[in-house]
Amino acid sequence: MFDDRSPIYRQIAEQIKQAILTGDLQEEEQVMSTNQYAAFYRINPATAAKAFQELVDEGLLYKRRGIGMFVSPGARERLRSQRRERFFADVVEPMVAEARAIGIPLREVIQWLEQREDEEER
């Protein structure tokens, strides 16, 4: 379930973010409590609480006093926007730099991508 590459609380936060992105968790939907999460995954409740607090700080979850944690309105779109920016910075910009370095015109890259899109639509 968890790996050694990053802290467990970050992995929990990423799992919840992914569930929001894919629609497995909808806006205004309640998420498991930190104690439920800790029991289910057999982790320290403080670890789960740290992950949830990170998501609250990012505006992706909010707490209803006495009820629990819920997915914030607009959380999915906020995540999509963040991931879109990161995609262009981490993937597209280096790809453009590499294409230029090896002499591939950007028009050719665009044509290649459009062909792949056409093939997927078939």
Side-chain angles (χ1 to χ4, degrees):
M1 169 80 214
F2 300 112
D3 59 45
D4 293 335
R5 291 180 289 202
S6 64
I8 291 174
Y9 80 92
R10 286 234 168 102
Q11 293 178 59
I12 292 168
E14 281 304 314
Q15 289 172 357
I16 294 170
K17 287 178 182 180
Q18 192 62 32
I20 293 169
L21 272 173
T22 61
D24 291 338
L25 281 174
Q26 298 289 318
E27 294 179 3
E28 300 293 346
E29 184 175 341
Q30 188 171 11
V31 298
M32 281 193 280
S33 72
T34 55
N35 289 332
Q36 289 170 323
Y37 209 93
F40 185 81
Y41 291 105
R42 297 181 180 171
I43 60 171
N44 187 315
T47 301
K50 189 171 182 178
F52 280 53
Q53 187 58 52
E54 184 174 283
L55 295 169
V56 168
D57 292 345
E58 291 180 28
L60 301 173
L61 296 182
Y62 70 95
K63 185 175 186 173
R64 288 187 191 163
R65 190 177 197 122
I67 299 175
M69 293 284 200
F70 293 79
V71 178
S72 297
R76 186 174 190 201
E77 192 50 45
R78 188 176 299 113
L79 280 170
R80 281 182 163 179
S81 178
Q82 290 170 357
R83 297 272 175 103
R84 197 174 289 123
E85 287 177 29
R86 194 167 71 207
F87 173 78
F88 281 104
D90 295 350
V91 177
V92 177
E93 288 177 10
M95 178 195 63
V96 168
E98 179 69 11
R100 284 188 174 133
I102 61 176
I104 300 173
L106 290 182
R107 274 183 240 94
E108 188 175 330
V109 173
I110 292 167
Q111 288 171 345
W112 188 90
L113 291 169
E114 287 173 340
Q115 287 174 344
R116 295 305 168 272
E117 183 178 42
D118 290 346
E119 289 170 7
E120 285 182 14
E121 289 176 358
R122 287 185 210 150

